[in-house]
Amino acid sequence: QVQPVESGGGLVQAGGSLRLSCAASGRTYMMYTMSWFRQAPGKEREFVARINYADGTTDYADSVAGRFTISRDNAQNTVYLQMNSLNPEDTAVYYCAAGYGSRPGRRVLQYDYWGQGTQVTVSS
């Protein structure tokens, strides 16, 4: 079992940067693919970025590719999301999710464990 806990959200001006962290407790953390999702008010939760547990390959939504970078520090059981060139459309609650093995992709239902979320607000 893995329990993700997010931190690092806040208020930033358009064009600015933030780094989100996701600390994941659990002895089998390294067996989980880790992803970030986000949910804006009145919208469905959407995929942002993913990092494979086995080889560290990454995948990004088109809306954030080239601006966001996902990484993981297995020694610290932590996943990061570096967000650059933020714009107001990035405003949302950001969630960290863990899915066992390499199969979990971009779908919410593929993930077993979720954090409580952290608010990111980008002002124009």
Side-chain angles (χ1 to χ4, degrees):
Q1 184 173 351
V2 174
Q3 181 55 56
V5 178
E6 306 95 337
S7 61
L11 174 64
V12 64
Q13 289 188 331
S17 299
L18 279 176
R19 189 176 80 157
L20 305 183
S21 299
C22 173
S25 62
R27 292 180 297 174
T28 58
Y29 159 79
M30 289 184 62
M31 299 297 292
Y32 284 77
T33 288
M34 303 297 294
S35 290
W36 289 93
F37 288 76
R38 68 185 181 186
Q39 188 167 17
K43 295 187 176 181
E44 293 186 352
R45 192 167 299 188
E46 66 174 3
F47 169 78
V48 175
R50 168 184 176 272
I51 186 163
N52 184 280
Y53 89 100
D55 57 12
T57 55
T58 57
D59 180 30
Y60 297 93
D62 290 344
S63 58
V64 306
R67 300 187 298 122
F68 292 10
T69 302
I70 188 171
S71 61
R72 65 191 295 168
D73 182 341
N74 289 336
Q76 299 294 325
N77 281 19
T78 302
V79 176
Y80 302 99
L81 185 68
Q82 177 66 43
M83 306 185 295
N84 299 328
S85 301
L86 286 161
N87 58 63
E89 290 70 38
D90 296 315
T91 295
V93 177
Y94 283 70
Y95 296 91
C96 180
Y100 189 77
S102 60
R103 185 177 56 187
R106 297 185 170 203
R107 295 166 57 195
V108 169
L109 292 179
Q110 294 176 307
Y111 291 83
D112 307 299
Y113 303 101
W114 293 82
Q116 81 288 352
T118 185
Q119 176 70 46
V120 172
T121 303
V122 185
S123 63
S124 58

